[in-house]
Amino acid sequence: MAKTEEKTTQAGTSGMDQLKEQLSAFASAQGQRLVDKAGDKISDLAQGLGDVGDGNSTLLNVGKRVLGDGESPVKAFLGEKAGDVKDKVTDTVKGAFGGGGKAGSVKVTNIVEVIDIGKPLRTVYDRWTQLEEFSSFTKGVQSVSQADEIESDWKAKIAFSNRSWKASVQEQVADERIVWNSEGGKGTTRGRVSFHELTPDLTRVVVVVEYYPSGFFEKTGNIWRAQGRRLRLDLKHFLRYVTLSDDEDLEGWRGEIRDGEVVRSHEEGLEDDEEQGDDEQDAELEDGDEDEDDADSEDEEEEDEEDEEDERR
């Protein structure tokens, strides 16, 4: 009986040991297969690294992360692709705001605004020529100082930043148009304002501006068309300013500028205006005299007709 139990125990023990050995061998084989697969992937990756040049930086960086840092190939690849996406986004933003972009790629903003003001043409024009008054009705303009008839210095506060620029008049004709250029650290502009008489007491003002932004803040505003909205609002302020102002002592600059040079002074312009006014008065008087002469002629004709009728009777 004792011998039978001993044989059974030995048989059971031998069977268990055999099962453990088989499981161990299976696990070892599976582990070796995984190691071989990883080794094959690393070998393929290393082979690829040997074949690529400087143009394939992504694959090169993946190899460095796998071999040097011990990351898995999948994790390293995903990490590099995420980095590529981030770099592309950064490059796109830089390109939009001038960083790393090509020269001359700045997008120009074209602004066209029209407003009608219920005042005579000369009044509206004269108000516009008083540049130093712009700080009293526009938003943001702190001061305007005129060096001479052509150049003026502007200072403004935009959000939390101060801006300054120099404006230069290229052409100016009284009661007709003003053409200017401006140059500043944050952008340049080319502008033209023209004045059109719709009726004796209604004037149309047309402003056309080309704006070339420079700097992050200005280019951001350029994307959202902030400059156009700013000009539109300032024109409304100008409308209110002109409409509510007393014009009794108003005197604008009446000279003329061509190609950036004064060709007629303010005093000469005033004299020409007076002569033109006298000519208009003379023309009105002549028209009045002609009307009276016509009326007298008509009266004489009527009297002649009456006399002829009396003679026939």
Side-chain angles (χ1 to χ4, degrees):
M1 189 69 177
K3 292 181 178 180
T4 303
E5 292 176 357
E6 184 179 352
K7 290 180 179 179
T8 303
T9 301
Q10 291 177 353
T13 302
S14 299
M16 183 62 69
D17 292 338
Q18 292 177 3
L19 179 59
K20 290 181 179 180
E21 291 177 359
Q22 291 177 0
L23 291 174
S24 177
F26 176 77
S28 178
Q30 292 297 321
Q32 185 62 41
R33 287 180 60 192
L34 294 175
V35 171
D36 292 341
K37 284 186 176 181
D40 292 340
K41 291 182 178 180
I42 294 176
S43 297
D44 294 340
L45 183 60
Q47 180 65 33
L49 293 175
D51 295 338
V52 299
D54 294 336
N56 197 345
S57 60
T58 299
L59 186 58
L60 183 61
N61 291 334
V62 169
K64 290 180 180 179
R65 295 175 68 162
V66 171
L67 298 178
D69 300 336
E71 295 184 8
S72 68
V74 175
K75 182 178 179 181
F77 180 76
L78 292 177
E80 284 301 315
K81 294 305 290 182
D84 289 344
V85 172
K86 180 180 178 181
D87 292 340
K88 288 180 179 180
V89 172
T90 302
D91 292 341
T92 301
V93 173
K94 286 183 177 180
F97 298 125
K102 296 181 179 179
S105 61
V106 177
K107 186 176 181 181
V108 180
T109 296
N110 296 308
I111 306 171
V112 179
E113 294 294 335
V114 180
I115 193 167
D116 295 337
I117 301 177
K119 284 293 185 75
L121 172 63
R122 177 165 179 168
T123 300
V124 176
Y125 172 83
D126 285 349
R127 285 293 180 192
W128 189 281
T129 62
Q130 295 181 329
L131 300 181
E132 295 181 352
E133 297 295 326
F134 272 55
S135 60
S136 66
F137 63 86
T138 58
K139 183 178 181 181
V141 177
Q142 294 178 318
S143 66
V144 182
S145 59
Q146 288 188 265
D148 50 35
E149 294 86 351
I150 297 175
E151 294 186 348
S152 58
D153 295 317
W154 297 65
K155 293 182 180 180
K157 185 175 181 61
I158 302 175
F160 301 101
S161 179
N162 294 322
R163 295 287 185 268
S164 62
W165 64 90
K166 183 181 293 293
S168 177
V169 177
Q170 301 301 309
E171 183 179 359
Q172 183 165 348
V173 180
D175 300 332
E176 291 186 20
R177 61 189 178 275
I178 302 173
V179 181
W180 77 92
N181 295 335
S182 68
E183 185 75 28
K186 300 301 181 180
T188 60
T189 60
R190 296 174 55 196
R192 176 189 179 102
V193 56
S194 58
F195 306 86
H196 310 268
E197 182 180 273
L198 302 181
T199 68
D201 292 321
L202 182 62
T203 303
R204 174 163 293 175
V205 180
V206 180
V207 182
V208 180
V209 175
E210 285 185 351
Y211 178 64
Y212 301 80
S214 175
F216 180 84
F217 183 84
E218 281 70 20
K219 291 181 180 180
T220 303
N222 189 44
I223 290 176
W224 298 104
R225 302 291 179 179
Q227 292 81 6
R229 293 195 295 271
R230 177 75 270 159
L231 177 59
R232 188 180 307 117
L233 181 58
D234 282 342
L235 279 178
K236 291 181 179 179
H237 290 325
F238 179 71
L239 164 65
R240 176 176 53 81
Y241 168 71
V242 174
T243 303
L244 299 179
S245 296
D246 183 8
D247 304 327
E248 183 176 355
D249 298 328
L250 175 62
E251 181 178 323
W253 193 75
R254 306 299 300 177
E256 184 172 332
I257 298 173
R258 300 280 185 178
D259 297 327
E261 295 183 358
V262 177
V263 297
R264 183 172 61 176
S265 67
H266 171 65
E267 291 73 17
E268 293 173 340
L270 288 177
E271 292 177 359
D272 293 342
D273 291 340
E274 292 178 359
E275 291 178 359
Q276 183 178 357
D278 294 338
D279 293 340
E280 291 177 354
Q281 289 181 356
D282 292 341
E284 291 178 356
L285 291 175
E286 290 178 359
D287 292 339
D289 293 339
E290 290 178 357
D291 292 339
E292 291 180 359
D293 292 340
D294 293 339
D296 293 338
S297 299
E298 291 177 358
D299 292 338
E300 291 177 357
E301 290 177 358
E302 290 179 357
E303 290 178 358
D304 293 338
E305 290 177 357
E306 292 177 356
D307 293 338
E308 291 179 357
E309 287 182 359
D310 292 337
E311 292 177 355
R312 283 196 296 269
R313 291 175 184 174

